[in-house]
Every structure is written in structure tokens, then in C-alpha cells.
Amino acid sequence: MTFPDSVPLDPAELAARLRGAAPGELVVLTPNRRLAQSLESGYDAARAAEGLESWPAADILPIEDWVRRLHEESTLDDGDAAPSLLSEDQEALGWEEIVAADPSAAVLVGTAALAREARKAWALARDWDLEGALGAWEDSIDAQAFARWAAAWQRRLDREGWIDAAGLVSRAVRLIDANRALRPKTLVLHAFDILVPAQRRLLQAARAAGIDVVPSSPVDAGGAVAKVALPSPREEIEIAALWARARLAAAPSTGPGRLGIVVPQLRERRGLIERIFARTLGDERLFDLSLGEPLTDRPLVDFALGWLEFASRPVELARVGRLLRSPFLGGAERELDARARLDAALRREGPPFLDLAALRDFLARTPQRRPLPACPDLDRRLEAVASLPRIPRTAVPHEWAQAFAARLAAAGFPGERSLDSGEFQTLEKWREALGRLGALGLVTARLDGRDALRQLRQVAAGTLFQPESGGAPVRILGVLESAGLPFDALWVSGLTDDAWPQAPRPHPLLPVSLQRRAGIPQSSADLSLALDRRITEGWSRAAGEVVFSWALADADRALAPSALVGGVRQVAPESLGAAAVPTKRLALFTAGREPQAWEFLRDDDAPAIDPAAVRGGTSILADQAACPFRAFAKHRLGAEPLESPEPGLDAADRGTLLHALMSRLWRDIGSHARLVAMPGEALAAIVDNAARIAVARVRADRPGRLDGPLADLERERLARVAFEWLAVDRDRPPFDVVHREDRVEMAAGPLTIAGRVDRVDRLASGALAVIDYKSGSPRVAGWIGDRPDDPQLPLYALAMGDAVAAVAFARLKAGEFGFSGLAREEGLIPGVPSVEGHRGVARVAGSWEELLAQWRASTDDLATRFARGESAVDPKRGLASCRHCELHPLCRVHERLGALAPDEGPGAPEDEE
């Protein structure tokens, strides 16, 4: 590859050289860390198989680790004269300062984001020997700006006596040329698809210094290669997981070997992939994702960063609640229940934002209407944090690191319970992150609190964390991580023509023509194609069984297979044997137990309930229709979601305002005749009074939500709504309002259900019209079927008896004011058709009487099912019914039906007027 006169070593020759080399004689370099670990573990397994109890460790490492080691070894001789190697965090902050100091730098993407791109461009320029051409190459304004930043960064490196990661290869070349580096006899380059110019210079220097530099080829398994088409990207991952499950279950006694799943979009699809494989394989220990998650995504670190933010500035109340309930806060085990109830109380009574000082003040002023749960341990923790010495507005980074550690220690972090292995490893990484924050003092003198916390968050976000595991048999990898790895079986997904070969991605801060001239693979289609062809050929040789897959469509977009697998034999999905492996067999394999030791139970029914003991409204039947478990959990177990406080008014507040407004209006107006005859000034006075009463009601119910100018604006808005709605009612045939917010009791099967009807009008014929106010866009389709989505109005209609001739929604939504509903005959209410005149309803009910009979049958059936305890997790429309349900942690529906996907589950049928 790099040296045409060198014959690549095959795997057997490499293994023999490793066995025969004395310590320090042979160094094996790899393009990535995962391949180095794989080679090392394979070597150790072979040595153990020979019956050895100990042996010299093989010197196998990624090439970037080797050049770093050369630098570190040189510092032992040079002492203070050696350049200081900057950490990634120090580099990031240094580049931020360079970019921020340029008055012409664009700020739309943020300094930190721009600095990250500049660092990447700098590393690319150093790897491909472009730094000498920066600034001399005519190109875009962005490229010219980067040339200035790069020059400023190099001047600072020289001035401070620093070296960054991009400069390590050049330093290693100088050390080798000067005979100041420890030299192995042989350097082996294993499974490199590409060497950048800087690496080539390094290897040329090594060869010139007398080091034997030889390439090494990965395993050529020479196995069967096939390709398969699947309906969608999601099904592609699901079938790959089933394929892996089948191979795991095929050899429970001998072990499954090494299975690889390559996903080109692994970073973007990590969550979905993890859920699918966890559900399919039944045990998270059976698979390993090569791509770690940012340290900020770990619960322990999320708490630590959230607590530090909460201790210094207001944060959302929901975030405060999660902090108070966290197991990483001191005293969590002792006060678990009390803190959960405190969180619920805060969400009901507290302001939308709180910091630590405001929370202490709020707890000291216990609301009189509903006393807060006592949490004495929490009170002591809050007092301890508040009593810490105040740090100056600006301080050096290590002082901020100490202050942050003190604030967490005073809070009892990381809690009293024993940490599991993953949490313990996370805690160690967090402590390292605090140390890395302190080390930023090399680059910057002082930081204020906000910048210090931002830097700590960036350090954590830039740390990809993956707990150490015992070596899972299924490895899920990205494209680069899979290079050179051997497998017993390999599945490569996502090979569509628009994704593979990858589209060119030239770096935006470097001249594109310069990148193409240098031969950077991402800079042009031809270069990207050549690299991806080599990677594809490597996959074909990597295992005894290789499967390439692609999706036929993604949503509405048709897809085609990549041309790079055009010559591969295509097979049917059924031929892969991936669909018929029972999960419990895999679970037995995982646990190492016999099938006779397992018992599988299914219980979808709760005990029946005495109908007289049922308390609740029409939502009982709506929930039973949507999902029987939802009705059981909410109306028998008392499960309810935590409130999510928002600044100003939430949806419930706005609903209260509208109902109070309309109730008062029609109390004062009374009838259509009076509305039509009423003078404008008198009507304006009634509207103004109704708006004031509605605002006063919300202010009394929710103190602090509607005060000052906001209350005035809301009164004005309500007045506009009132006038616009009254114009709709004025255009109707004559009617009298006979009920407003009246309580009614309704019989449904064995249950008696209480409700409050918004409004009932007596029409000119003497018949009744039941009206329900809605601020959204309600649908008549919700009244139809054995499991109606919204049985409220049907129940009201049944309760009012034979006099009811119409049911309607009054839509109080801007741009949609009017009625929608159903009636016995045309013309009773504008916009409300008869049953026969509604195309969608007429298909299932031929008359008003038949519709009422269907409503009676469906509501009686739902009530009967609820009373006898039917409580299966059975959402009406699959996961589409679960989108706005808060019971997922209780019912664990996703373990039964899969991950919640945007395109999953049919929507409600459209109304047909």
C-alpha cells in the first residue's frame, strides 16, 4: 500500500511474529482502537490455548497512540524543555478564544460550534500537509477567516511552547530523525485502508532510521456473501436483530462466536437500535454498541450538571423536580416517597422557574391551602449548599472545579445507595471531567461562573462513555469501527444507493479545490467511491457469512441498492432463518438454565370492582376505549401524570377561562331572542363582566399565573372570543339556554357516571341540543365505533333522553368558529348535518335512532368491561394511541409493541361532512 516492495503479512504470519518477538522488538499499529483491542484479545486467547499461564504482552495500539507515546517518552529526557501537549479540552478553549477574538467571525452558529469546526479543519490540514497553502489559496470568505485563525493558533502554540494533537506526527518525525525515540525493530501496519500524508512521512522516517515497516492484511474468511432487500429501515434493523438472535440460539452450548452488525447511521439511530436489540435479544449483555454515548447523557452526570445549574440560576420546575427525586441526591432513599409528593406539590403550586435560593424561600412559605410534605434531610442539604462560601464572580478554572465539587458534596452526591458498575465508572469519568476543567488554567486565566459551567458541560458532552463489559457476542458498529475486524458472521445494513458510497463532504473551512488536489477522500465523489469500494471489499472477506441489506423505501421515498453490492447474490429474507426463534430459548441460553425451570404467566384481568364504588366521569369510558390498562391505572390505581408547569397559562387554564366566560355570558343573556334584541352597549357590558369573572376564577384557582398586564391582555382576548362566538349564535334559529355547567348522572352498563354538561339549548321545536365547548379541532369520528375515542357527548345525549335532537361541538378556535356534530334532521344547528347527511356516519348508522342505539351499546359494553376488570395493555391504534399517554413506565408498552416510531400506528379516520 505505502511501500510497494513490502509483502503484506497474512494473519498466521503476524501471529507467528508476535509470538517470537522479544519485548520492544515489534509494534503493531492499527487505524482504530477497537481493532487494536480485537488483535490483542485474539493474541491473548491463542497464548492461553497453548497452555501458557503468562506471556509478554503484545505491543498493539492505534497509530495515534504510538505517536503520543513517542512524545511522552521524549519528555522524560527533555523535562521542562519539552513542549506541553494540550488536552482536547485545552485545545477547544484555545480555539474558542482565537475565534472570539476575530471581530469578523460569524456568530450565527455560536463561537463554540465554529471553534469545533476550526479544530477539525486544522487537524485535516496537518494530516494532509495543507497548512503551508492556507491563506495563499483563493477561496471563500470562510476559508480566508480560517487561514487567519490557523495562523493565530500556530503563533500561540509557538509562543507558549505548546503542541496540539495535530502536531504530534510532525514531532514524532523529528524525534525519529534525531535518533531520540525508542525504536522497535519492526513496525506492522495492520488493516489500513488509507494512510494520510503525515502518516506516510512518519513511516518513511521510521524506515530511513532502520525500522522494518511492513503491512499486514486482515483475515480473509472467504465465506458466503448475500444481499437482501427489506421494506423499511426499521424492519431492516429488526430483521438484523432476529438474524443475530437466531445465530445466538443455534449454539447455546458452544457459544455464539463473534457476530457483527454494521450500521452506517449508528450515531443518529442509536436509541432505536438499542431498543430493538434489547427487546429482540432479551438481554442487554448480549450486545455491545461501539459508539459510546456522551457523558452528559448518563443519569449521574445529568444530575450533577443540573444541580450545579440549579444552585446558581433558575431552571424549569420540571427539572427541579427530577433533581429532587434523583437517587444521586443525599437522603434520597430515606425520603423517596416524601420527595416524590413534594415534586407533585411543587408542580401544582410553584412558579415555572426556581433556583436553590427561591426553592428554600418557597418551602419556608408553605402554601396554606395544601401543606407540603416534610423533607428534613432535603432541607439540611439545601442549607448546606446555601452556606458554602461564595466564590468571586470570576475565578481560575481549578477554583471553579473545587467549588463545583463542594456544591455536589454538600448535596450528598452521589447518594447513599451502592452504585452499580456502570454508575461507578460514570462517577470516575465525572471526576476526571472536573479535573479537566481545572486543567483549563493552562489556556485561560479566569472564568465567570456561567462560562465555567459551560466549559464543564462541553467537557462532559465531548466525552463518549461506554461502560466496560465482559465482551458481548453481538457487536454493533459504525463503518470506521468495523474496518479490519474479523467475525464469524457479519450483517451490513443501510447500503442504499444514496447512502453508500457516501456523498462527498468537503470541509467548509478549507478550499474545496485544495482538498481535492490533496486527495482527501471526502472532498470528491471519485475519491469517496474508491475508499468505500475498499471498505466494501473488506466486509466481503471479514466473515464466513456476510449479509448486505438495504431498505426498499423510507416513508414515501423509494430506495435502490448501492452499486457497490450490485454483483452480490440476492436472497429472500426468509432464507436467512431469522424469524422463528422463540425469545424464551434465548433467555434460557443467557441465564444458563433448563426450560423446565421457567414459568411464563399472562394475566390481563384485574379483580372485578363493585360498580357502586366507582367514582369518575366520562373519561373512564374514553380511557377504556383507548386502552383498558389506561382506564385501570388511572381510575382504579389512581395513577396520574405529574403536571408540567409552563410560564403563564397552560391548556387547562385556557379551558377554564373559556368555560367560565361562556357560562357567565349565557347566564346573563339567557336566550337567542334576548341576544338579538340586546343593544350594543348592554352586550359589551355583559361581555366585559364575563371576561373579568373568568379571569378572576383562574387567578383564585392558580395564584401567580394571571397577574398585572397579562390579566388585562387575557380579558381583552376573552372579549374578542365572546363577540366572535356570539355572532355565530346570533345567526342560528331561535333557542333558549336551559342548562349551563350543570351536573348530570349517566347510566352506562353497571356504572353510574357523573358529568358536567357545558350547555343545553331548547330549540324552537322543543327538542334539546347538547353542546360542548372546545378550543381545539374536535372530530365527530370520535363518537363512532365499538371503542369511541370521545364518548362524552354521546353519554350526555343518552342521559337527556328522547328529547335530544342534536349533539354538537362549539369550536372556539381562531379561524374555525362554528359548530360540528350530528342531528336528527337538517337545519337544527348551522353546520351540523343529519345522520343520513354525514357520509362517514351514514355508512355505520342509518338514522338518529340507530345511532343512539349504537351509542348505548358501545358505552354499556365499555362500562361492563371496566367493571369486570379487563385491563390488558391493548392500545386501540397501536402506539399511535400512546403518544399523549403518561403511563409508559407503568405499562411498558414499548416492550410489547416496539419503539415509538413517528410512522407507526394508523391515525383516526377523517371526518367526512
Side-chain angles (χ1 to χ4, degrees):
M1 181 192 302
T2 307
F3 303 105
D5 57 323
S6 298
V7 178
L9 302 176
D10 63 31
E13 292 171 326
L14 175 59
R17 288 210 183 189
L18 284 170
R19 287 195 301 271
E25 286 187 349
L26 177 67
V27 175
V28 179
L29 303 180
T30 64
N32 60 64
R33 182 162 284 102
R34 183 169 285 268
L35 180 53
Q37 293 169 345
S38 175
L39 283 177
E40 187 173 7
S41 63
Y43 171 77
D44 290 340
R47 302 260 72 185
E50 294 170 9
L52 299 178
E53 295 184 356
S54 63
W55 54 87
D59 197 0
I60 305 172
L61 70 169
I63 189 169
E64 64 266 21
D65 285 4
W66 184 60
V67 297
R68 186 180 296 270
R69 188 171 76 183
L70 293 180
H71 167 74
E72 291 171 349
E73 289 170 348
S74 73
T75 61
L76 300 176
D77 298 328
D78 296 347
D80 293 340
S84 298
L85 176 61
L86 296 177
S87 68
E88 288 187 18
D89 315 307
Q90 292 167 336
E91 283 188 38
L93 180 55
W95 274 101
E96 278 190 42
E97 293 179 343
I98 291 290
V99 173
D102 186 348
S104 63
V107 295
L108 292 178
V109 296
T111 300
L114 200 53
R116 281 194 298 271
E117 290 303 315
R119 281 184 62 211
K120 294 177 184 177
W122 176 247
L124 205 59
R126 295 299 301 266
D127 282 346
W128 290 86
D129 292 342
L130 305 181
E131 64 268 30
L134 298 178
W137 203 272
E138 293 295 331
D139 209 84
S140 66
I141 295 176
D142 290 340
Q144 294 170 14
F146 171 69
R148 294 195 302 273
W149 303 337
W153 177 243
Q154 186 61 60
R155 287 195 299 270
R156 188 171 187 192
L157 292 176
D158 296 340
R159 182 175 67 251
E160 303 286 357
W162 298 337
I163 186 172
D164 60 6
L168 280 176
V169 173
S170 295
R171 175 164 171 76
V173 170
R174 293 193 296 272
L175 291 172
I176 292 173
D177 287 345
N179 198 26
R180 296 177 54 214
L182 295 177
R183 300 179 181 176
K185 287 186 177 180
T186 304
L187 274 179
V188 177
L189 306 179
H190 183 71
F192 279 81
D193 285 313
I194 190 169
L195 285 170
V196 300
Q199 293 170 339
R200 291 195 187 99
R201 285 191 289 105
L202 173 67
L203 300 175
Q204 288 165 354
R207 174 166 278 198
I211 301 173
D212 186 21
V213 180
V214 295
S216 169
S217 299
V219 171
D220 185 352
V225 183
K227 66 182 179 184
V228 61
L230 294 159
S232 70
R234 178 187 177 84
E235 289 172 276
E236 192 179 3
I237 298 300
E238 288 176 336
I239 296 299
L242 289 169
W243 173 84
R245 189 176 85 178
R247 276 132 192 84
L248 286 175
S253 58
T254 60
R258 299 163 299 179
L259 306 179
I261 310 288
V262 177
V263 183
Q265 308 87 13
L266 181 57
R267 183 181 301 276
E268 294 81 4
R269 307 179 68 191
R270 177 192 173 97
L272 174 65
I273 292 166
E274 193 167 14
R275 289 193 296 272
I276 288 175
F277 272 83
R279 186 182 69 250
T280 304
L281 301 187
D283 190 335
E284 293 183 355
R285 295 171 297 177
L286 288 175
F287 67 94
D288 166 54
L289 275 77
S290 70
L291 181 68
E293 60 183 335
L295 195 59
T296 48
D297 289 351
R298 303 289 295 179
L300 183 144
V301 174
D302 179 69
F303 167 81
L305 291 168
W307 185 264
L308 295 175
E309 186 177 11
F310 167 64
S312 59
R313 68 181 186 86
V315 299
E316 293 180 353
L317 189 54
R319 174 80 158 149
V320 175
R322 290 196 296 272
L323 294 174
L324 298 183
R325 290 183 286 106
S326 171
F328 306 114
L329 179 60
E333 296 294 305
R334 292 187 295 276
E335 295 181 347
L336 180 64
D337 181 64
R339 292 184 187 181
R341 288 185 287 113
L342 174 62
D343 178 25
L346 282 172
R347 289 167 182 257
R348 288 192 304 266
E349 308 286 348
F353 293 89
L354 278 176
D355 61 10
L356 189 143
L359 175 61
R360 294 184 67 223
D361 182 61
F362 183 84
L363 296 178
R365 297 183 291 104
T366 303
Q368 297 180 356
R369 293 189 304 153
R370 199 177 303 184
L372 298 176
C375 300
D377 198 314
L378 175 63
D379 293 338
R380 287 193 294 273
R381 303 289 179 183
L382 296 174
E383 172 64 26
V385 177
S387 300
L388 290 172
R390 294 183 63 83
I391 194 168
R393 192 182 69 83
T394 63
V396 296
H398 78 84
E399 291 176 340
W400 282 117
Q402 293 171 350
F404 291 157
R407 290 176 186 175
L408 289 169
F413 178 76
E416 290 80 15
R417 72 174 175 84
S418 298
L419 302 179
D420 63 28
S421 175
E423 290 170 340
F424 183 80
Q425 294 175 53
T426 303
L427 180 61
E428 292 302 308
K429 287 290 186 182
W430 167 254
R431 289 169 175 162
E432 290 178 14
L434 284 174
R436 289 159 59 186
L437 171 65
L440 294 180
L442 178 68
V443 178
T444 191
R446 304 182 73 82
L447 295 169
D448 62 26
R450 186 178 292 270
D451 279 344
L453 186 56
R454 181 177 63 83
Q455 290 295 333
L456 179 59
R457 187 177 292 278
Q458 286 185 192
V459 168
T463 302
L464 291 181
F465 173 76
Q466 190 168 27
E468 296 178 4
S469 63
V474 179
R475 289 180 281 182
I476 305 172
L477 310 136
V479 171
L480 296 180
E481 294 87 359
S482 67
L485 287 174
F487 301 97
D488 292 311
L490 175 65
W491 182 298
V492 184
S493 67
L495 297 184
T496 57
D497 61 351
D498 64 340
W500 194 256
Q502 300 176 83
R505 299 184 307 277
H507 198 284
L509 295 182
L510 292 171
V512 174
S513 54
L514 182 60
Q515 296 178 63
R516 290 173 177 167
R517 179 176 177 180
I520 298 176
Q522 297 87 354
S523 65
S524 75
D526 291 343
L527 294 170
S528 183
L529 172 63
L531 176 60
D532 291 351
R533 177 177 284 114
R534 291 198 298 271
I535 293 174
T536 306
E537 292 169 353
W539 286 331
S540 299
R541 298 188 296 266
E545 178 189 6
V546 179
V547 178
F548 295 132
S549 70
W550 78 95
L552 293 171
D554 187 0
D556 296 330
R557 186 166 59 95
L559 302 173
S562 168
L564 293 178
V565 296
V568 176
R569 173 179 60 96
Q570 184 169 347
V571 299
E574 297 78 16
S575 68
L576 299 174
V581 182
T583 304
K584 69 177 183 180
R585 180 178 179 188
L586 191 64
L588 296 173
F589 161 72
T590 306
R593 300 178 61 181
E594 294 299 320
Q596 294 80 3
W598 285 74
E599 184 178 4
F600 295 89
L601 300 175
R602 182 181 181 92
D603 186 2
D604 288 334
D605 293 333
I609 187 173
D610 180 2
V614 175
R615 296 290 182 270
T618 60
S619 61
I620 294 176
L621 301 192
D623 290 330
Q624 185 74 20
C627 176
F629 181 83
R630 183 190 300 182
F632 170 72
K634 291 176 65 175
H635 302 287
R636 294 187 61 179
L637 299 183
E640 59 183 26
L642 292 171
E643 294 188 32
S644 299
E646 302 173 358
L649 302 175
D650 59 21
D653 295 329
R654 295 191 181 280
T656 299
L657 285 166
L658 286 175
H659 281 77
L661 172 75
M662 301 307 293
S663 178
R664 184 67 188 199
L665 279 177
W666 283 106
R667 171 186 166 179
D668 293 341
I669 298 173
S671 69
H672 177 266
R674 188 158 184 250
L675 171 63
V676 172
M678 186 172 293
E681 293 181 1
L683 184 60
I686 288 176
V687 167
D688 181 68
N689 182 57
R692 290 180 181 279
I693 288 174
V695 168
R697 177 174 168 180
V698 170
R699 293 179 67 177
D701 291 344
R702 306 290 294 272
R705 289 297 178 102
L706 197 55
D707 294 322
L710 182 60
D712 296 333
L713 290 173
E714 190 59 31
R715 281 192 291 269
E716 294 174 7
R717 186 188 73 85
L718 290 174
R720 291 194 299 270
V721 169
F723 281 118
E724 191 165 354
W725 179 255
L726 291 175
V728 174
D729 267 339
R730 184 182 286 110
D731 291 339
R732 290 175 53 192
F735 64 88
D736 294 322
V737 176
V738 294
H739 295 290
R740 297 172 294 96
E741 301 284 334
D742 288 349
R743 181 179 174 84
V744 295
E745 288 194 347
M746 299 157 283
L751 304 183
T752 299
I753 295 175
R756 192 174 296 277
V757 62
D758 289 350
R759 173 175 153 191
V760 177
D761 292 353
R762 187 176 303 280
L763 306 178
S765 64
L768 299 179
V770 182
I771 296 173
D772 191 48
Y773 298 123
K774 295 294 184 184
S775 58
S777 301
R779 304 161 64 98
V780 172
W783 299 340
I784 308 304
D786 295 337
R787 296 171 68 175
D789 295 332
D790 187 4
Q792 182 182 40
L793 272 178
L795 280 168
Y796 289 158
L798 295 171
M800 293 290 174
D802 294 339
V804 174
V807 290
F809 291 120
R811 300 191 309 269
L812 302 174
K813 182 179 181 181
E816 297 183 17
F817 278 74
F819 290 98
S820 61
L822 294 170
R824 176 184 290 138
E825 58 190 73
E826 300 288 341
L828 296 182
I829 299 177
V832 175
S834 65
V835 171
E836 297 86 346
H838 190 293
R839 288 179 297 168
V841 176
R843 289 198 295 262
V844 296
S847 66
W848 175 256
E849 288 71 21
E850 187 177 344
L851 178 64
L852 291 178
Q854 289 188 12
W855 285 350
R856 173 60 67 191
S858 63
T859 55
D860 284 352
D861 180 63
L862 290 171
T864 300
R865 291 174 181 274
F866 175 80
R868 72 186 180 206
E870 291 192 13
S871 53
V873 177
D874 180 24
K876 177 180 175 180
R877 295 187 178 87
L879 289 174
S881 297
C882 304
R883 294 192 184 283
H884 303 293
C885 179
E886 303 288 346
L887 298 175
H888 302 166
L890 192 59
C891 71
R892 306 196 302 188
V893 65
H894 297 132
E895 295 181 19
R896 295 168 178 255
L897 302 184
L900 189 60
D903 58 348
E904 198 162 19
E910 295 292 334
D911 285 353
E912 293 185 60
E913 301 295 353

